PDB file of all heavy atoms in Angstrom:
ATOM      1  N   GLY A 152     -13.304  51.301 -17.776  1.00 87.00           N
ATOM      2  CA  GLY A 152     -13.195  50.374 -18.859  1.00 87.00           C
ATOM      3  C   GLY A 152     -12.754  48.946 -18.328  1.00 87.00           C
ATOM      4  O   GLY A 152     -11.742  48.862 -17.615  1.00 87.00           O
ATOM      5  N   TYR A 153     -13.462  47.982 -18.954  1.00 88.00           N
ATOM      6  CA  TYR A 153     -13.150  46.622 -18.493  1.00 88.00           C
ATOM      7  C   TYR A 153     -12.004  46.193 -19.257  1.00 88.00           C
ATOM      8  O   TYR A 153     -11.604  46.557 -20.317  1.00 88.00           O
ATOM      9  CB  TYR A 153     -14.336  45.682 -18.799  1.00 88.00           C
ATOM     10  CG  TYR A 153     -15.552  45.814 -17.852  1.00 88.00           C
ATOM     11  CD1 TYR A 153     -16.630  46.646 -18.270  1.00 88.00           C
ATOM     12  CD2 TYR A 153     -15.562  45.159 -16.681  1.00 88.00           C
ATOM     13  CE1 TYR A 153     -17.676  46.804 -17.383  1.00 88.00           C
ATOM     14  CE2 TYR A 153     -16.701  45.309 -15.812  1.00 88.00           C
ATOM     15  CZ  TYR A 153     -17.705  46.207 -16.142  1.00 88.00           C
ATOM     16  OH  TYR A 153     -18.795  46.290 -15.249  1.00 88.00           O
ATOM     17  N   PRO A 154     -11.166  45.077 -18.752  1.00 89.00           N
ATOM     18  CA  PRO A 154     -11.439  44.510 -17.457  1.00 89.00           C
ATOM     19  C   PRO A 154     -10.912  45.433 -16.309  1.00 89.00           C
ATOM     20  O   PRO A 154     -10.077  46.227 -16.429  1.00 89.00           O
ATOM     21  CB  PRO A 154     -10.551  43.271 -17.516  1.00 89.00           C
ATOM     22  CG  PRO A 154      -9.481  43.679 -18.539  1.00 89.00           C
ATOM     23  CD  PRO A 154     -10.145  44.610 -19.476  1.00 89.00           C
ATOM     24  N   VAL A 155     -11.625  45.209 -15.160  1.00 91.00           N
ATOM     25  CA  VAL A 155     -11.324  45.865 -13.923  1.00 91.00           C
ATOM     26  C   VAL A 155     -10.837  44.927 -12.876  1.00 91.00           C
ATOM     27  O   VAL A 155     -11.255  43.728 -12.923  1.00 91.00           O
ATOM     28  CB  VAL A 155     -12.308  46.914 -13.413  1.00 91.00           C
ATOM     29  CG1 VAL A 155     -12.713  47.970 -14.395  1.00 91.00           C
ATOM     30  CG2 VAL A 155     -13.587  46.018 -12.998  1.00 91.00           C
ATOM     31  N   VAL A 156     -10.146  45.374 -11.778  1.00 90.00           N
ATOM     32  CA  VAL A 156      -9.749  44.537 -10.698  1.00 90.00           C
ATOM     33  C   VAL A 156     -10.561  45.038  -9.491  1.00 90.00           C
ATOM     34  O   VAL A 156     -10.617  46.295  -9.133  1.00 90.00           O
ATOM     35  CB  VAL A 156      -8.261  44.550 -10.355  1.00 90.00           C
ATOM     36  CG1 VAL A 156      -7.973  43.453  -9.375  1.00 90.00           C
ATOM     37  CG2 VAL A 156      -7.442  44.581 -11.612  1.00 90.00           C
ATOM     38  N   VAL A 157     -11.179  44.064  -8.720  1.00 90.00           N
ATOM     39  CA  VAL A 157     -11.792  44.504  -7.445  1.00 90.00           C
ATOM     40  C   VAL A 157     -10.746  44.222  -6.434  1.00 90.00           C
ATOM     41  O   VAL A 157     -10.210  43.106  -6.400  1.00 90.00           O
ATOM     42  CB  VAL A 157     -13.092  43.529  -7.169  1.00 90.00           C
ATOM     43  CG1 VAL A 157     -13.638  43.926  -5.814  1.00 90.00           C
ATOM     44  CG2 VAL A 157     -14.114  43.643  -8.335  1.00 90.00           C
ATOM     45  N   LYS A 158     -10.420  45.198  -5.588  1.00 88.00           N
ATOM     46  CA  LYS A 158      -9.513  45.121  -4.597  1.00 88.00           C
ATOM     47  C   LYS A 158      -9.809  45.503  -3.308  1.00 88.00           C
ATOM     48  O   LYS A 158     -10.680  46.304  -3.120  1.00 88.00           O
ATOM     49  CB  LYS A 158      -8.274  45.949  -5.016  1.00 88.00           C
ATOM     50  CG  LYS A 158      -7.266  45.395  -6.173  1.00 88.00           C
ATOM     51  CD  LYS A 158      -6.054  46.296  -6.244  1.00 88.00           C
ATOM     52  CE  LYS A 158      -5.022  45.645  -7.174  1.00 88.00           C
ATOM     53  NZ  LYS A 158      -3.870  46.502  -7.131  1.00 88.00           N
ATOM     54  N   ALA A 159      -9.322  44.758  -2.319  1.00 86.00           N
ATOM     55  CA  ALA A 159      -9.554  45.094  -0.949  1.00 86.00           C
ATOM     56  C   ALA A 159      -8.731  46.282  -0.532  1.00 86.00           C
ATOM     57  O   ALA A 159      -7.634  46.357  -0.796  1.00 86.00           O
ATOM     58  CB  ALA A 159      -9.314  43.943  -0.012  1.00 86.00           C
ATOM     59  N   ALA A 160      -9.468  47.276   0.086  1.00 83.00           N
ATOM     60  CA  ALA A 160      -8.625  48.474   0.490  1.00 83.00           C
ATOM     61  C   ALA A 160      -7.583  48.175   1.522  1.00 83.00           C
ATOM     62  O   ALA A 160      -6.508  48.851   1.410  1.00 83.00           O
ATOM     63  CB  ALA A 160      -9.728  49.531   1.107  1.00 83.00           C
ATOM     64  N   ALA A 161      -7.882  47.218   2.309  1.00 79.00           N
ATOM     65  CA  ALA A 161      -6.838  46.869   3.303  1.00 79.00           C
ATOM     66  C   ALA A 161      -5.892  45.752   2.811  1.00 79.00           C
ATOM     67  O   ALA A 161      -5.101  45.150   3.622  1.00 79.00           O
ATOM     68  CB  ALA A 161      -7.520  46.394   4.591  1.00 79.00           C
ATOM     69  N   GLY A 162      -5.995  45.403   1.613  1.00 69.00           N
ATOM     70  CA  GLY A 162      -5.335  44.226   0.988  1.00 69.00           C
ATOM     71  C   GLY A 162      -3.947  44.106   0.923  1.00 69.00           C
ATOM     72  O   GLY A 162      -3.132  45.081   1.233  1.00 69.00           O
ATOM     73  N   GLY A 163      -3.456  43.036   0.371  1.00 66.00           N
ATOM     74  CA  GLY A 163      -2.128  42.683   0.248  1.00 66.00           C
ATOM     75  C   GLY A 163      -1.975  41.208  -0.004  1.00 66.00           C
ATOM     76  O   GLY A 163      -2.950  40.553   0.388  1.00 66.00           O
ATOM     77  N   GLY A 164      -0.905  40.786  -0.646  1.00 64.00           N
ATOM     78  CA  GLY A 164      -0.670  39.382  -0.877  1.00 64.00           C
ATOM     79  C   GLY A 164      -1.718  38.791  -1.732  1.00 64.00           C
ATOM     80  O   GLY A 164      -1.887  37.541  -1.749  1.00 64.00           O
ATOM     81  N   GLY A 165      -2.444  39.555  -2.514  1.00 70.00           N
ATOM     82  CA  GLY A 165      -3.302  39.032  -3.510  1.00 70.00           C
ATOM     83  C   GLY A 165      -4.727  38.567  -2.990  1.00 70.00           C
ATOM     84  O   GLY A 165      -5.521  38.202  -3.584  1.00 70.00           O
ATOM     85  N   LYS A 166      -4.752  38.777  -1.622  1.00 75.00           N
ATOM     86  CA  LYS A 166      -6.094  38.301  -0.998  1.00 75.00           C
ATOM     87  C   LYS A 166      -7.163  39.413  -1.229  1.00 75.00           C
ATOM     88  O   LYS A 166      -6.857  40.669  -1.188  1.00 75.00           O
ATOM     89  CB  LYS A 166      -5.905  38.070   0.589  1.00 75.00           C
ATOM     90  CG  LYS A 166      -4.902  36.961   0.765  1.00 75.00           C
ATOM     91  CD  LYS A 166      -5.324  36.192   2.016  1.00 75.00           C
ATOM     92  CE  LYS A 166      -4.673  34.827   2.110  1.00 75.00           C
ATOM     93  NZ  LYS A 166      -3.182  35.038   2.373  1.00 75.00           N
ATOM     94  N   GLY A 167      -8.355  39.021  -1.424  1.00 77.00           N
ATOM     95  CA  GLY A 167      -9.406  40.009  -1.612  1.00 77.00           C
ATOM     96  C   GLY A 167      -9.342  40.659  -2.976  1.00 77.00           C
ATOM     97  O   GLY A 167      -9.837  41.786  -3.169  1.00 77.00           O
ATOM     98  N   MET A 168      -8.810  39.895  -3.980  1.00 85.00           N
ATOM     99  CA  MET A 168      -8.545  40.613  -5.307  1.00 85.00           C
ATOM    100  C   MET A 168      -9.310  39.726  -6.298  1.00 85.00           C
ATOM    101  O   MET A 168      -9.257  38.437  -6.269  1.00 85.00           O
ATOM    102  CB  MET A 168      -7.062  40.486  -5.574  1.00 85.00           C
ATOM    103  CG  MET A 168      -6.605  41.591  -6.420  1.00 85.00           C
ATOM    104  SD  MET A 168      -4.830  41.685  -6.286  1.00 85.00           S
ATOM    105  CE  MET A 168      -4.534  41.477  -8.095  1.00 85.00           C
ATOM    106  N   ARG A 169     -10.040  40.368  -7.161  1.00 87.00           N
ATOM    107  CA  ARG A 169     -10.850  39.622  -8.224  1.00 87.00           C
ATOM    108  C   ARG A 169     -10.785  40.462  -9.572  1.00 87.00           C
ATOM    109  O   ARG A 169     -10.977  41.648  -9.546  1.00 87.00           O
ATOM    110  CB  ARG A 169     -12.289  39.461  -7.813  1.00 87.00           C
ATOM    111  CG  ARG A 169     -12.519  38.395  -6.854  1.00 87.00           C
ATOM    112  CD  ARG A 169     -12.535  36.962  -7.469  1.00 87.00           C
ATOM    113  NE  ARG A 169     -12.599  35.824  -6.534  1.00 87.00           N
ATOM    114  CZ  ARG A 169     -11.826  35.504  -5.710  1.00 87.00           C
ATOM    115  NH1 ARG A 169     -10.605  35.997  -5.541  1.00 87.00           N
ATOM    116  NH2 ARG A 169     -11.956  34.554  -4.876  1.00 87.00           N
ATOM    117  N   ILE A 170     -10.529  39.721 -10.518  1.00 88.00           N
ATOM    118  CA  ILE A 170     -10.568  40.352 -11.946  1.00 88.00           C
ATOM    119  C   ILE A 170     -11.927  40.281 -12.457  1.00 88.00           C
ATOM    120  O   ILE A 170     -12.534  39.127 -12.485  1.00 88.00           O
ATOM    121  CB  ILE A 170      -9.498  39.823 -12.862  1.00 88.00           C
ATOM    122  CG1 ILE A 170      -8.144  40.069 -12.308  1.00 88.00           C
ATOM    123  CG2 ILE A 170      -9.715  40.398 -14.319  1.00 88.00           C
ATOM    124  CD1 ILE A 170      -6.991  39.360 -12.989  1.00 88.00           C
ATOM    125  N   VAL A 171     -12.495  41.350 -12.955  1.00 91.00           N
ATOM    126  CA  VAL A 171     -13.837  41.358 -13.531  1.00 91.00           C
ATOM    127  C   VAL A 171     -13.787  41.707 -15.031  1.00 91.00           C
ATOM    128  O   VAL A 171     -13.323  42.766 -15.288  1.00 91.00           O
ATOM    129  CB  VAL A 171     -14.824  42.271 -12.875  1.00 91.00           C
ATOM    130  CG1 VAL A 171     -16.193  42.121 -13.514  1.00 91.00           C
ATOM    131  CG2 VAL A 171     -14.916  41.959 -11.332  1.00 91.00           C
ATOM    132  N   GLU A 172     -14.146  40.673 -15.945  1.00 90.00           N
ATOM    133  CA  GLU A 172     -13.959  40.906 -17.317  1.00 90.00           C
ATOM    134  C   GLU A 172     -15.256  41.627 -17.953  1.00 90.00           C
ATOM    135  O   GLU A 172     -15.076  42.404 -18.997  1.00 90.00           O
ATOM    136  CB  GLU A 172     -13.832  39.576 -18.003  1.00 90.00           C
ATOM    137  CG  GLU A 172     -12.760  38.644 -17.586  1.00 90.00           C
ATOM    138  CD  GLU A 172     -11.420  39.058 -18.241  1.00 90.00           C
ATOM    139  OE1 GLU A 172     -11.453  39.906 -19.124  1.00 90.00           O
ATOM    140  OE2 GLU A 172     -10.398  38.579 -17.758  1.00 90.00           O
ATOM    141  N   ALA A 173     -16.402  41.442 -17.290  1.00 89.00           N
ATOM    142  CA  ALA A 173     -17.585  42.105 -17.777  1.00 89.00           C
ATOM    143  C   ALA A 173     -18.545  42.488 -16.747  1.00 89.00           C
ATOM    144  O   ALA A 173     -18.481  41.802 -15.556  1.00 89.00           O
ATOM    145  CB  ALA A 173     -18.279  41.083 -18.811  1.00 89.00           C
ATOM    146  N   ARG A 174     -19.474  43.296 -16.998  1.00 89.00           N
ATOM    147  CA  ARG A 174     -20.445  43.821 -15.995  1.00 89.00           C
ATOM    148  C   ARG A 174     -21.219  42.731 -15.296  1.00 89.00           C
ATOM    149  O   ARG A 174     -21.376  42.792 -14.056  1.00 89.00           O
ATOM    150  CB  ARG A 174     -21.345  44.723 -16.871  1.00 89.00           C
ATOM    151  CG  ARG A 174     -22.229  45.526 -15.786  1.00 89.00           C
ATOM    152  CD  ARG A 174     -23.268  46.361 -16.630  1.00 89.00           C
ATOM    153  NE  ARG A 174     -23.846  47.178 -15.643  1.00 89.00           N
ATOM    154  CZ  ARG A 174     -23.969  48.500 -15.632  1.00 89.00           C
ATOM    155  NH1 ARG A 174     -23.331  49.167 -16.425  1.00 89.00           N
ATOM    156  NH2 ARG A 174     -24.629  49.174 -14.687  1.00 89.00           N
ATOM    157  N   LYS A 175     -21.601  41.710 -15.944  1.00 89.00           N
ATOM    158  CA  LYS A 175     -22.367  40.667 -15.383  1.00 89.00           C
ATOM    159  C   LYS A 175     -21.695  39.909 -14.188  1.00 89.00           C
ATOM    160  O   LYS A 175     -22.364  39.280 -13.366  1.00 89.00           O
ATOM    161  CB  LYS A 175     -22.924  39.569 -16.437  1.00 89.00           C
ATOM    162  CG  LYS A 175     -21.742  38.832 -17.021  1.00 89.00           C
ATOM    163  CD  LYS A 175     -22.330  37.774 -18.092  1.00 89.00           C
ATOM    164  CE  LYS A 175     -21.279  37.174 -18.948  1.00 89.00           C
ATOM    165  NZ  LYS A 175     -20.067  36.576 -18.244  1.00 89.00           N
ATOM    166  N   ASP A 176     -20.337  39.938 -14.217  1.00 89.00           N
ATOM    167  CA  ASP A 176     -19.639  39.171 -13.271  1.00 89.00           C
ATOM    168  C   ASP A 176     -19.361  40.008 -12.013  1.00 89.00           C
ATOM    169  O   ASP A 176     -18.809  39.656 -11.121  1.00 89.00           O
ATOM    170  CB  ASP A 176     -18.169  38.635 -13.843  1.00 89.00           C
ATOM    171  CG  ASP A 176     -18.450  37.827 -15.033  1.00 89.00           C
ATOM    172  OD1 ASP A 176     -19.556  37.055 -15.085  1.00 89.00           O
ATOM    173  OD2 ASP A 176     -17.634  37.900 -15.997  1.00 89.00           O
ATOM    174  N   MET A 177     -19.777  41.337 -11.992  1.00 89.00           N
ATOM    175  CA  MET A 177     -19.300  42.165 -11.003  1.00 89.00           C
ATOM    176  C   MET A 177     -19.841  41.762  -9.570  1.00 89.00           C
ATOM    177  O   MET A 177     -19.081  41.709  -8.645  1.00 89.00           O
ATOM    178  CB  MET A 177     -19.784  43.597 -11.320  1.00 89.00           C
ATOM    179  CG  MET A 177     -19.498  44.694 -10.329  1.00 89.00           C
ATOM    180  SD  MET A 177     -17.728  44.912 -10.186  1.00 89.00           S
ATOM    181  CE  MET A 177     -17.395  46.081 -11.550  1.00 89.00           C
ATOM    182  N   ALA A 178     -21.160  41.460  -9.627  1.00 89.00           N
ATOM    183  CA  ALA A 178     -21.824  41.175  -8.237  1.00 89.00           C
ATOM    184  C   ALA A 178     -21.126  40.073  -7.575  1.00 89.00           C
ATOM    185  O   ALA A 178     -20.738  40.137  -6.359  1.00 89.00           O
ATOM    186  CB  ALA A 178     -23.399  40.843  -8.517  1.00 89.00           C
ATOM    187  N   GLU A 179     -20.931  38.945  -8.247  1.00 89.00           N
ATOM    188  CA  GLU A 179     -20.264  37.745  -7.692  1.00 89.00           C
ATOM    189  C   GLU A 179     -18.814  38.054  -7.257  1.00 89.00           C
ATOM    190  O   GLU A 179     -18.371  37.674  -6.130  1.00 89.00           O
ATOM    191  CB  GLU A 179     -20.244  36.587  -8.657  1.00 89.00           C
ATOM    192  CG  GLU A 179     -19.912  35.290  -8.068  1.00 89.00           C
ATOM    193  CD  GLU A 179     -19.591  34.172  -9.119  1.00 89.00           C
ATOM    194  OE1 GLU A 179     -20.007  34.374 -10.262  1.00 89.00           O
ATOM    195  OE2 GLU A 179     -18.915  33.237  -8.675  1.00 89.00           O
ATOM    196  N   ALA A 180     -18.043  38.779  -8.069  1.00 89.00           N
ATOM    197  CA  ALA A 180     -16.641  39.138  -7.766  1.00 89.00           C
ATOM    198  C   ALA A 180     -16.637  39.984  -6.517  1.00 89.00           C
ATOM    199  O   ALA A 180     -15.795  39.820  -5.604  1.00 89.00           O
ATOM    200  CB  ALA A 180     -16.030  39.836  -8.933  1.00 89.00           C
ATOM    201  N   VAL A 181     -17.461  40.958  -6.363  1.00 89.00           N
ATOM    202  CA  VAL A 181     -17.577  41.835  -5.234  1.00 89.00           C
ATOM    203  C   VAL A 181     -18.013  41.034  -4.043  1.00 89.00           C
ATOM    204  O   VAL A 181     -17.294  41.214  -2.926  1.00 89.00           O
ATOM    205  CB  VAL A 181     -18.589  42.892  -5.429  1.00 89.00           C
ATOM    206  CG1 VAL A 181     -18.899  43.695  -4.199  1.00 89.00           C
ATOM    207  CG2 VAL A 181     -18.164  43.847  -6.536  1.00 89.00           C
ATOM    208  N   GLU A 182     -18.839  40.173  -4.095  1.00 89.00           N
ATOM    209  CA  GLU A 182     -19.245  39.403  -2.943  1.00 89.00           C
ATOM    210  C   GLU A 182     -17.974  38.472  -2.488  1.00 89.00           C
ATOM    211  O   GLU A 182     -17.689  38.573  -1.323  1.00 89.00           O
ATOM    212  CB  GLU A 182     -20.391  38.445  -3.401  1.00 89.00           C
ATOM    213  CG  GLU A 182     -20.885  37.407  -2.371  1.00 89.00           C
ATOM    214  CD  GLU A 182     -21.395  38.266  -1.159  1.00 89.00           C
ATOM    215  OE1 GLU A 182     -21.993  39.407  -1.408  1.00 89.00           O
ATOM    216  OE2 GLU A 182     -21.249  37.849   0.029  1.00 89.00           O
ATOM    217  N   LEU A 183     -17.340  37.887  -3.355  1.00 88.00           N
ATOM    218  CA  LEU A 183     -16.199  37.052  -3.062  1.00 88.00           C
ATOM    219  C   LEU A 183     -15.007  37.898  -2.399  1.00 88.00           C
ATOM    220  O   LEU A 183     -14.382  37.447  -1.356  1.00 88.00           O
ATOM    221  CB  LEU A 183     -15.711  36.255  -4.255  1.00 88.00           C
ATOM    222  CG  LEU A 183     -16.668  35.014  -4.617  1.00 88.00           C
ATOM    223  CD1 LEU A 183     -16.164  34.593  -6.094  1.00 88.00           C
ATOM    224  CD2 LEU A 183     -16.527  33.969  -3.654  1.00 88.00           C
ATOM    225  N   ALA A 184     -14.763  38.994  -3.102  1.00 88.00           N
ATOM    226  CA  ALA A 184     -13.647  39.785  -2.561  1.00 88.00           C
ATOM    227  C   ALA A 184     -13.891  40.360  -1.283  1.00 88.00           C
ATOM    228  O   ALA A 184     -13.060  40.460  -0.412  1.00 88.00           O
ATOM    229  CB  ALA A 184     -13.405  41.010  -3.693  1.00 88.00           C
ATOM    230  N   ARG A 185     -15.278  40.710  -0.984  1.00 88.00           N
ATOM    231  CA  ARG A 185     -15.526  41.283   0.253  1.00 88.00           C
ATOM    232  C   ARG A 185     -15.395  40.317   1.390  1.00 88.00           C
ATOM    233  O   ARG A 185     -14.850  40.540   2.422  1.00 88.00           O
ATOM    234  CB  ARG A 185     -16.962  41.903   0.290  1.00 88.00           C
ATOM    235  CG  ARG A 185     -17.092  43.270  -0.435  1.00 88.00           C
ATOM    236  CD  ARG A 185     -18.674  43.750  -0.481  1.00 88.00           C
ATOM    237  NE  ARG A 185     -19.096  43.942   0.936  1.00 88.00           N
ATOM    238  CZ  ARG A 185     -18.938  45.068   1.557  1.00 88.00           C
ATOM    239  NH1 ARG A 185     -18.367  46.122   1.010  1.00 88.00           N
ATOM    240  NH2 ARG A 185     -19.521  45.141   2.737  1.00 88.00           N
TER     241      ARG A 185
END
Side-chain angles (χ1 to χ4, degrees):
Chain A
Y153 287 97
V155 296
V156 193
V157 181
K158 279 191 169 182
K166 295 216 168 67
M168 213 165 118
R169 281 286 179 286
I170 293 167
V171 182
E172 302 279 353
R174 192 182 180 119
K175 65 176 168 52
D176 303 326
M177 183 65 81
E179 191 192 343
V181 166
E182 182 60 34
L183 285 168
R185 282 177 63 87

